[in-house]
Amino acid sequence: MVTTLPRPGVAAPAGPPAAAPAVETPPAYRGFTSWLTTVDHKRIGLLYGTTAFIFFLIGGLEALAIRMQLSSPDNTFVSPQVYNELFTMHGTTMIFLVVMPLSVALFNYIVPLQIGARDVAFPRLNAFSYWTFLFGSIFLMSSMFVDGLPDAGWYGYAPLTTRQFSPDTRIDFWALTLQVLGVASMAGAFNFLVTIINMRCPGMSLMRMPLFTWNTFVVSFLIVLAFPAITVALILLTFDRLVGTTFYYAPAGGDPLLWQHLFWIFGHPEVYILILPAFGVVSEVLPVFARKPLFGYPFVVYATVGIGFIGFGVWAHHMFTTGLGPIANSFFAASTMLIAIPTGVKILNWIATLWGGSIRFTTASMFSIALVSQFTIGGLSGVMHSVVPVDLHHNDSYFVVAHFHYVLFGGAIFGLFSGLYFWWPKMTGRLLNETLGRWHFWLWFVGFNTTFGVMHFLGVDGMARRTWTYSAYQGWGMWNMIATVGAFMMAVGTLVFLYNAIRSLRHGEVAGEDPWDGATLEWTIPSPPPVYNFAVEPTVRSRDPFWLLKRRPQAVEAEDDTARISILGKNVAVAEVEEEHPTEERVEERVATGDIHLPNPSFFPMITALGLTLAAAGLVYGIPLSVVGLVYLLVGIGGWCLEPTG
Amino acid sequence: MPPPQASADMRSCRPKRLPALRRCTLLALSLLMSMLAAGCGLAAPPTEVPQTTIFPKSDAAHIINNLYILIFVLATIVFIVIQAAIVYILWRFRYREGHPLPEQTHGNTKLEIGWTIGPAVVLLAIAVPTIQGVFALEGSAPAVDGSGRQVEGALPIEVIGRQWWWEYRYPEQGIVTANELVIPVGRTVELQMTSRDVVHSYWIPQLMGKQDVMPAHVNTLWFTAQEAGQYWGQCGEYCGIEHAMMRMNAIAYEQADWDAWVARNAQPSPAAAQQTNELAEQGAQLFTQRCLTCHAIAGTAAQARNGPDLSHVGSRTTIAAGILRNDTEGMARWLRDPDEVKPGNYMAHPPAEWGVTTRDHLLLRPQDVDALVEYLHSLK
């Protein structure tokens, strides 16, 4: 483990005795294999990010096909069956295969750097999370070669998903994949909880933690507490489908409403799992580009925690039309209004952060500012939905489609891309081109508001969601055509970003360690960071340690322990200069002498993840595959236990 | 149609390099326009947007719309204040060369407590009418009859959701029909709704907010239509392949027309027993041979409930759950190839448990289609 590090000048303890290990460890940082065996949080972050971005392109193409089909009345660009698969996969992909893993990519890369750690608490478990996510996603996509892609919507309401109404294997793929992805998410969440609780560098109390780390912390709690609900729901569904139980099948005494409760007990916290990482990004980006600290840090922290708590008490606002009765509906209307308060506090605190600042317009800051503006719209339409009678119209109409895209695209995706532009130079050592970045931003900003802005009108005009076509007499043709045009603007913006990203890897301007005048620890180390992150464990005594080092060096010179604002130990700065461009040999030398203690790479997380996924896949593809999967699983766990951890 | 200036203004916000000030102003303008258009631009006449939610034609829909106006106005005010603040701040505090580091403020507790309590008060102001609205809509119906007098109980109508059409039963009148809900103006009706298969949602926006239609549950929904006319809606919960084509409409009749409709529909159609011409006679025979497994026509041997009741299908304005006009061409098109009209529907793909052993009903010659159309349209 990496928590105890030798101080400079102190003799490094010898490495573990070289007794013959039960299992050989693979090479660490070179070649293709090293990517399969890596346990380095930064590499796993890059794997998560790249994979999620590929799924983002797939989910985007699904969205474009949907918009093509709806661009005019009575269109037959796709059949109803294909359309239903498209919107199901668009939702499932964007939620589980894009926004969550893209957030996890940033958690992985950034959180250990922000808290001054050398890796996460359980590096191999981290690799296991990634491989489980990847294999689970491939398993889901493989359904297209069997009976076809899932087609019951991302929240798969029973009894449409029971075998009586969906007899083929599509829904089995969907349910089993969500279970497998749930394992990946839970493992990751526990990992980050332990990391954040245990591995903060000296001086970083909870109330000095950067906001992005705080949001990671809260999101991890939400995942740990929310996913069990959907796990139960999916187990019951899978039993209904494969064993013939009747939890959701009404004629045999089951209740379809049970699914909806269990799903939304997970599903609403899930909404905050999706948006809070973006809130964390904004809380980092706005202060840096306004060049002043976050306004009301404690309020923003309390608001984040408050959202996490109240988020578990609002699930039935997705079910106002199901006939829960006036008392239940009133309660959930009130709790939904309550959650608007901490959310509003955040928005106002972000705006107050900008007030009095010196705002630099970079692509990163523009995405964050757009999030504040667009999330306000999504938040306001959310409050409109808490007015139950109004929701009886808006629920499952395009008004809701507009609402959650303002929250999840205008909010989560804009925030995550803000973070991508912000931390890209830290991850790759090179800057993204700002001119191309501006094209990307404006194409997305205008395209997004065009597409989803007009969906408010469609909802008020009575267009129901998840409808593969509509008729001319319904009067929705014009708005739908405008929405489609906006979608293609966003597609062009995405291509601009793709070009910018690929170009930057070779030709981008070299960033240096601190291109934005950053405030937090990740900007004190080289870009990209050395494998061990920090040559010496840093010490912090306030919230914006790097700003203080840069702006009040005399305070650092004095090593004034009583200074109210930040101090980063002076010796750290010296050590960083020394290690700014360490050679590979130098790294391996320091690792070999035990001066830097790093976990060993391992094949076993991948083998274990493969075993888990195959075991689940066997329930569709045939039990022999499950047996093979279980063997892999046991081999993986066994090897995991026996190999030296480094 | 919505006012043209709304879309024109949205177009002016193209991604080109502009000075920061103008860029921000445009940003604000485009956002403002889209929000205003959401409120006002939709003031299109219902004939052009028949499923509009903001031209209520019933007492229940008015309760909803009044709340909508309240919350829309409040949301618009907050929207304008927040967006204007963002734009102003972006302009006023933009980075300028040579400016010193801004003052490093860390917060202001009083201010922050203020903007925690402020929204709470506004939300409380919304919560009170919301909860009143919930209890008004979900309580028992304040039933009135055609002349506005309080009466005992609303007129009950049973609604049964089916993949992908609606069955209606009028227990007091002894009528069974499908897809077109016929109601009297001024008389409160109560829909008692359940589903035979998956979850659906009943939603005719000008008359009522949506209410889910679920197996193993009976949900009720009351409203009093205020104007005679035809109102359009569609299923509001995704229910399988033809969710988009599970539509319905309601016809609100003045009292005299309603009485006449009930009198006619409570009895078998005269044409059920005695066909008016030879073509219809042929059609009746074809129906007996090929349609009995699924359909019912009062006064004949056809009594199955797999598909819609066709006792008075000739008097309906639409068929196939609101998808086709019920004219000669519409009915003929449906009979020739239902899968072409509504891909995946159960007439084209009957489930095994219905016991449809042949595909004869889908293999009609042109003259068979003509005969069936003649017969079905004679059922008035």
Side-chain angles (χ1 to χ4, degrees):
Chain A
M1 299 308 300
V2 294
T3 41
T4 54
L5 290 169
R7 300 248 154 215
V10 177
V23 185
E24 290 281 322
T25 57
Y29 300 104
R30 282 191 220 120
F32 176 73
T33 325
S34 71
W35 285 93
L36 304 183
T37 60
T38 186
V39 292
D40 178 355
H41 71 97
K42 298 182 286 299
R43 286 181 153 217
I44 291 170
L46 295 178
L47 287 171
Y48 258 114
T50 313
T51 312
F53 187 75
I54 291 167
F55 283 123
F56 180 66
L57 297 179
I58 294 172
L61 287 175
E62 287 158 355
L64 283 184
I66 289 170
R67 287 313 323 163
M68 281 294 288
Q69 165 64 15
L70 293 180
S71 59
S72 58
D74 302 313
N75 202 358
T76 52
F77 178 71
V78 295
S79 69
Q81 179 58 42
V82 169
Y83 185 89
N84 296 341
E85 293 171 21
L86 282 172
F87 76 70
T88 300
M89 288 306 294
H90 173 71
T92 306
T93 303
M94 288 302 191
I95 289 165
F96 294 105
L97 311 186
V98 178
V99 175
M100 286 184 75
L102 212 50
S103 305
V104 174
L106 291 180
F107 295 171
N108 255 302
Y109 208 104
I110 302 304
V111 167
L113 301 185
Q114 283 197 328
I115 62 174
R118 285 205 168 139
D119 207 317
V120 293
F122 308 118
R124 289 182 296 175
L125 188 66
N126 201 18
F128 168 78
S129 294
Y130 170 73
W131 294 111
T132 306
F133 153 64
L134 178 70
F135 295 144
S137 309
I138 293 171
F139 170 61
L140 175 65
M141 296 295 169
S142 77
S143 65
M144 76 174 89
F145 304 112
V146 186
D147 289 327
L149 291 161
D151 61 352
W154 89 273
Y155 49 66
Y157 271 7
L160 185 61
T161 47
T162 59
R163 64 178 178 182
Q164 287 79 10
F165 299 103
S166 296
D168 54 22
T169 59
R170 300 164 190 269
I171 304 301
D172 297 317
F173 275 99
W174 178 79
L176 292 168
T177 299
L178 292 200
Q179 292 287 44
V180 170
L181 295 181
V183 172
S185 297
M186 294 280 280
F190 278 116
N191 209 343
F192 283 106
L193 285 178
V194 176
T195 303
I196 293 170
I197 292 170
N198 282 342
M199 297 178 65
R200 283 167 287 130
C201 63
M204 184 171 282
S205 61
L206 284 178
M207 289 310 275
R208 284 177 188 161
M209 238 161 48
L211 247 301
F212 183 73
T213 301
W214 252 114
N215 279 273
T216 307
F217 193 48
V218 173
V219 165
S220 301
F221 267 113
L222 292 181
I223 290 174
V224 165
L225 296 174
F227 267 74
I230 194 176
T231 303
V232 170
L234 287 166
I235 287 173
L236 301 187
L237 177 65
T238 305
F239 268 69
D240 269 13
R241 294 186 57 82
L242 299 181
V243 185
T245 55
T246 56
F247 293 106
Y248 304 122
Y249 186 54
D255 189 352
L257 210 49
L258 175 64
W259 168 270
Q260 296 192 21
H261 279 296
L262 287 173
F263 184 88
W264 289 117
I265 287 171
F266 151 78
H268 201 82
E270 171 71 10
V271 173
Y272 295 103
I273 291 168
L274 299 173
I275 188 63
L276 288 181
F279 282 4
V281 172
V282 174
S283 305
E284 299 290 326
V285 168
L286 290 184
V288 166
F289 292 99
R291 305 178 72 202
K292 62 192 273 288
L294 184 71
F295 190 90
Y297 172 99
F299 260 72
V300 177
V301 169
Y302 299 147
T304 306
V305 176
I307 289 171
F309 271 105
I310 308 171
F312 280 97
V314 298
W315 79 88
H317 71 208
H318 297 268
M319 301 163 61
F320 282 152
T321 62
T322 57
L324 297 177
I327 293 171
N329 281 354
S330 298
F331 172 83
F332 284 102
S335 65
T336 304
M337 290 175 188
L338 198 62
I339 205 166
I341 296 172
T343 316
V345 165
K346 283 192 157 192
I347 288 173
L348 293 167
N349 275 25
W350 289 328
I351 293 174
T353 303
L354 295 173
W355 179 273
S358 173
I359 303 163
R360 287 176 294 165
F361 291 99
T362 62
T363 313
S365 69
M366 283 154 72
F367 269 107
S368 273
I369 293 164
L371 177 148
V372 178
S373 167
Q374 289 165 172
F375 188 85
T376 302
I377 298 173
L380 287 172
S381 54
V383 173
M384 293 175 86
H385 295 149
S386 72
V387 180
V388 181
V390 175
D391 186 65
L392 300 182
H393 277 322
H394 291 173
N395 181 42
D396 274 321
S397 78
Y398 263 79
F399 201 92
V400 154
V401 178
H403 160 72
F404 65 69
H405 280 96
Y406 265 86
V407 175
L408 293 183
F409 196 129
I413 290 285
F414 268 65
L416 292 173
F417 270 80
S418 176
L420 211 50
Y421 276 92
F422 184 57
W423 282 306
W424 182 274
K426 181 52 59 188
M427 296 174 180
T428 66
R430 289 176 187 273
L431 291 160
L432 286 163
N433 180 289
E434 277 292 310
T435 309
L436 289 171
R438 266 154 218 265
W439 274 99
H440 173 204
F441 173 77
W442 285 110
L443 281 165
W444 267 26
F445 180 77
V446 177
F448 167 79
N449 284 290
T450 307
T451 300
F452 299 105
V454 300
M455 284 185 188
H456 291 108
F457 318 158
L458 285 170
V460 173
D461 280 352
M463 182 165 172
R465 75 193 272 207
R466 297 177 164 172
T467 49
W468 73 278
T469 190
Y470 54 94
S471 299
Y473 78 84
Q474 290 170 307
W476 303 323
M478 184 186 74
W479 293 128
N480 270 303
M481 178 55 87
I482 292 172
T484 301
V485 171
F488 277 89
M489 289 177 74
M490 283 189 275
V492 175
T494 308
L495 291 179
V496 171
F497 170 76
L498 192 61
Y499 170 71
N500 195 1
I502 293 168
R503 185 185 161 281
S504 140
L505 293 178
R506 250 168 212 281
H507 307 292
E509 194 186 325
V510 173
E513 63 193 35
D514 182 24
W516 311 121
D517 185 17
T520 38
L521 289 181
E522 71 268 30
W523 304 107
T524 63
I525 56 174
S527 308
V531 64
Y532 49 83
N533 298 347
F534 296 89
V536 177
E537 188 175 41
T539 304
V540 297
R541 290 188 189 79
S542 86
R543 283 174 202 147
D544 304 312
F546 197 31
W547 271 356
L548 192 78
L549 182 71
K550 288 182 285 190
R551 290 173 190 173
R552 292 180 55 200
Q554 70 283 6
V556 178
E557 287 289 338
E559 287 201 53
D560 177 6
D561 277 22
T562 58
R564 266 197 84 245
I565 17 174
S566 55
I567 283 187
L568 187 66
K570 183 187 167 202
N571 52 351
V572 174
V574 173
E576 289 310 319
V577 172
E578 233 169 54
E579 292 292 335
E580 196 166 357
H581 300 292
T583 60
E584 247 169 33
E585 288 73 27
R586 174 76 180 125
V587 172
E588 286 182 5
E589 187 193 320
R590 289 193 67 181
V591 174
T593 57
D595 182 22
I596 293 174
H597 185 175
L598 291 169
N600 282 335
S602 171
F603 277 111
F604 293 106
M606 190 177 69
I607 292 170
T608 312
L610 186 64
L612 179 76
T613 314
L614 289 180
L619 293 177
V620 192
Y621 285 108
I623 293 303
L625 192 64
S626 285
V627 175
V628 174
L630 286 174
V631 170
Y632 268 80
L633 192 63
L634 290 176
V635 169
I637 294 173
W640 189 323
C641 296
L642 294 175
E643 75 179 334
T645 55
Chain B
M1 296 299 285
Q5 68 270 19
S7 55
D9 277 321
M10 308 253 291
R11 273 201 305 278
S12 72
C13 192
R14 277 191 300 263
K16 50 189 174 189
R17 303 297 299 277
L18 293 168
L21 169 59
R22 282 201 57 203
R23 216 159 51 210
C24 301
T25 319
L26 281 179
L27 183 154
L29 270 182
S30 67
L31 285 174
L32 204 69
M33 275 304 170
S34 50
M35 207 60 191
L36 282 179
C40 324
L42 288 164
T47 47
E48 288 179 19
V49 192
Q51 288 173 222
T52 176
T53 60
I54 53 174
F55 284 85
K57 298 287 183 189
S58 81
D59 50 355
H62 269 288
I63 293 176
I64 298 177
N65 201 48
N66 291 341
L67 277 165
Y68 175 73
I69 291 168
L70 168 76
I71 184 73
F72 178 77
V73 168
L74 286 174
T76 306
I77 293 168
V78 175
F79 169 82
I80 290 171
V81 169
I82 296 280
Q83 307 295 355
I86 292 174
V87 171
Y88 172 74
I89 290 169
L90 292 185
W91 169 71
R92 178 167 163 198
F93 297 107
R94 68 191 184 278
Y95 173 80
R96 275 162 289 193
E97 209 62 55
H99 270 217
L101 193 66
E103 193 195 338
Q104 303 290 294
T105 49
H106 288 267
N108 181 325
T109 308
K110 275 183 198 157
L111 206 57
E112 290 168 72
I113 290 173
W115 66 50
T116 308
I117 293 173
V121 172
V122 175
L123 286 167
L124 198 63
I126 301 169
V128 171
T130 296
I131 290 170
Q132 285 172 338
V134 170
F135 278 85
L137 285 174
E138 299 190 33
S140 57
V144 290
D145 70 0
S147 51
R149 282 193 313 264
Q150 292 282 328
V151 290
E152 275 288 303
L155 170 71
I157 305 173
E158 294 166 14
V159 176
I160 300 160
R162 309 283 300 258
Q163 280 179 319
W164 296 278
W165 59 281
W166 304 93
E167 180 169 306
Y168 305 125
R169 294 161 181 258
Y170 295 70
E172 290 179 1
Q173 287 76 20
I175 295 171
V176 181
T177 177
N179 297 324
E180 284 190 359
L181 182 74
V182 179
I183 48 172
V185 169
R187 171 89 168 93
T188 308
V189 298
E190 184 178 81
L191 307 185
Q192 299 162 348
M193 309 190 293
T194 190
S195 165
R196 190 68 65 80
D197 37 54
V198 302
V199 181
H200 306 279
S201 194
Y202 202 81
W203 188 35
I204 300 179
Q206 283 190 282
L207 297 178
M208 80 289 270
K210 65 175 72 65
Q211 190 67 240
D212 288 358
V213 177
M214 282 182 288
H217 290 256
V218 178
N219 281 339
T220 59
L221 183 64
W222 64 264
F223 62 96
T224 315
Q226 293 166 325
E227 246 177 64
Q230 192 165 15
Y231 304 100
W232 302 84
Q234 69 185 102
C235 175
E237 183 60 70
Y238 177 65
C239 57
I241 187 167
E242 276 307 345
H243 168 56
M245 294 207 171
M246 186 170 172
R247 300 187 200 155
M248 65 288 212
N249 59 77
I251 298 175
Y253 281 134
E254 297 291 357
Q255 191 66 41
D257 295 332
W258 159 256
D259 290 339
W261 182 83
V262 170
R264 206 169 57 241
N265 282 267
Q267 303 295 328
S269 166
Q274 180 65 50
Q275 281 72 48
T276 46
N277 61 45
E278 198 182 329
L279 195 58
E281 180 76 42
Q282 284 174 22
Q285 283 171 11
L286 270 167
F287 191 91
T288 313
Q289 292 159 9
R290 305 196 183 178
C291 311
L292 282 198
T293 319
C294 298
H295 290 285
I297 294 176
T300 72
Q303 293 299 330
R305 291 283 170 212
N306 290 326
D309 185 290
L310 300 176
S311 299
H312 298 268
V313 68
S315 61
R316 292 182 201 152
T317 62
T318 60
I319 56 167
I323 300 305
L324 291 173
R325 230 186 277 277
N326 190 19
D327 52 16
T328 308
E329 174 47 31
M331 184 65 92
R333 198 176 145 200
W334 177 256
L335 291 172
R336 274 197 299 267
D337 187 0
D339 216 29
E340 178 258 328
V341 176
K342 204 166 162 174
N345 76 80
Y346 285 156
M347 180 153 159
H349 309 276
E353 62 268 25
W354 288 7
V356 182
T357 50
T358 70
R359 292 182 62 78
D360 284 354
H361 67 291
L362 296 172
L363 303 170
L364 300 172
R365 297 167 301 171
Q367 60 266 40
D368 297 342
V369 170
D370 291 344
L372 275 168
V373 171
E374 181 71 18
Y375 171 61
L376 291 170
H377 278 168
S378 72
L379 298 167
K380 296 205 189 258

